[in-house]
Amino acid sequence: MQLWLCPILAFLLGSIPFGLLIAKSKGIDIRQHGSGNIGATNVLRVMGKKYGIPCLLLDALKGFIPVLIAVNLIQITGRNVQIPIGLPDAWVLKLAAGEALKAQTAQILTALFAVLGHNYSPWVGFKGGKGIATSAGVLLGLMPFAVLLLMVVWMLLFLTTRYVSVASVGAALALPLLTLWGSWHHGRIQDGTWNKPLFVFSLIIAGLATWKHRSNIRRLREGTEHRFTRKPKPGNV
């Protein structure tokens, strides 16, 4: 049951349009403002940090929570869960090492469905955000250390360009390389036990992020993309 229940739960949780709900609580239809996107970046741009940061955290959690549940419910015998939550043994499906691919596939499908739920929410006409925050939450559940590295990549790109879109696409494109590096670093590629579904997932996430940012890429080429600039300090105006 865990094999199919986790992806369904992930899609349902991922599809909750927190950005739309937060904005509507203040009488704003976020789809009519800024970029028209319901993701955290547009909420931050239109409504400020007070609403943008909670939206960012909620969008990340709806990726993190279903993946955390999946990796605890569907385990591979002899391998430790990176973030254990102490579920009763009766709930846990433990697959032998020879069935590792089945467990990995179920976990990755859970991760993918969380992102797809956010990007194509049925509650808003199968539209949604661009999946960056939800993808970060998903990856935090799958490979926590990689998220730290991706945050460094994102921050460096943002600080040097001041474009959220450039930082987001750049971090997404770095993900497959980090996935390969992690598998090699832990000796998984060498012995043939590396997480192939995770690598495929990283390619899909990179592709989805780039596709969802296609309008931003067009505006970057045209020189019309919104750029976050530092506000002048009082007295320096």
Side-chain angles (χ1 to χ4, degrees):
M1 183 173 69
Q2 294 92 327
L3 293 176
W4 57 264
L5 184 60
C6 287
I8 292 174
L9 171 66
F11 185 83
L12 291 175
L13 188 57
S15 69
I16 300 173
F18 284 119
L20 183 65
L21 295 174
I22 289 171
K24 278 199 170 183
S25 72
K26 304 305 294 184
I28 297 173
D29 185 347
I30 196 66
R31 295 169 295 184
Q32 305 301 320
H33 298 271
S35 66
N37 193 272
I38 67 169
T41 298
N42 198 39
V43 173
L44 176 67
R45 181 182 299 128
V46 173
M47 302 181 66
K49 294 180 181 178
K50 181 179 179 180
Y51 301 99
I53 291 176
C55 183
L56 178 71
L57 293 175
L58 287 168
D59 281 351
L61 281 173
K62 69 185 187 183
F64 175 70
I65 290 173
V67 169
L68 182 65
I69 292 172
V71 297
N72 277 271
L73 279 179
I74 308 166
Q75 298 184 23
I76 302 169
T77 302
R79 295 192 187 179
N80 295 326
V81 176
Q82 294 190 68
I83 309 177
I85 57 176
L87 294 178
D89 289 340
W91 296 8
V92 177
L93 174 63
K94 290 201 173 184
L95 298 175
E99 294 184 290
L101 183 62
K102 183 188 292 186
Q104 292 166 345
T105 300
Q107 293 167 359
I108 296 307
L109 281 176
T110 300
L112 179 61
F113 273 58
V115 177
L116 290 176
H118 175 77
N119 287 1
Y120 305 101
S121 172
W123 314 118
V124 286
F126 291 96
K127 296 178 181 179
K130 296 177 180 177
I132 298 301
T134 305
S135 296
V138 158
L139 293 171
L140 187 61
L142 291 172
M143 40 197 296
F145 182 68
V147 174
L148 295 177
L149 295 178
L150 288 174
M151 287 175 64
V152 171
V153 172
W154 190 96
M155 188 58 67
L156 287 173
L157 288 172
F158 176 70
L159 290 176
T160 53
T161 69
R162 308 302 296 183
Y163 289 115
V164 171
S165 55
V166 171
S168 299
V169 172
L173 293 176
L175 176 60
L177 298 176
L178 281 177
T179 303
L180 283 177
W181 176 82
S183 297
W184 174 84
H185 179 71
H186 292 289
R188 299 292 187 186
I189 289 180
Q190 294 89 323
D191 64 15
T193 63
W194 64 297
N195 195 332
K196 300 176 185 68
L198 178 60
F199 178 63
V200 173
F201 172 72
S202 71
L203 292 173
I204 292 172
I205 289 299
L208 276 175
T210 304
W211 173 253
K212 295 291 283 186
H213 281 85
R214 63 192 184 279
S215 60
N216 302 83
I217 294 171
R218 184 182 66 252
R219 288 194 295 270
L220 284 166
R221 289 176 175 173
E222 296 171 350
T224 58
E225 174 70 336
H226 176 83
R227 190 177 191 180
F228 280 85
T229 56
R230 295 182 180 90
K231 293 182 179 179
K233 295 181 180 179
N236 292 337
V237 180

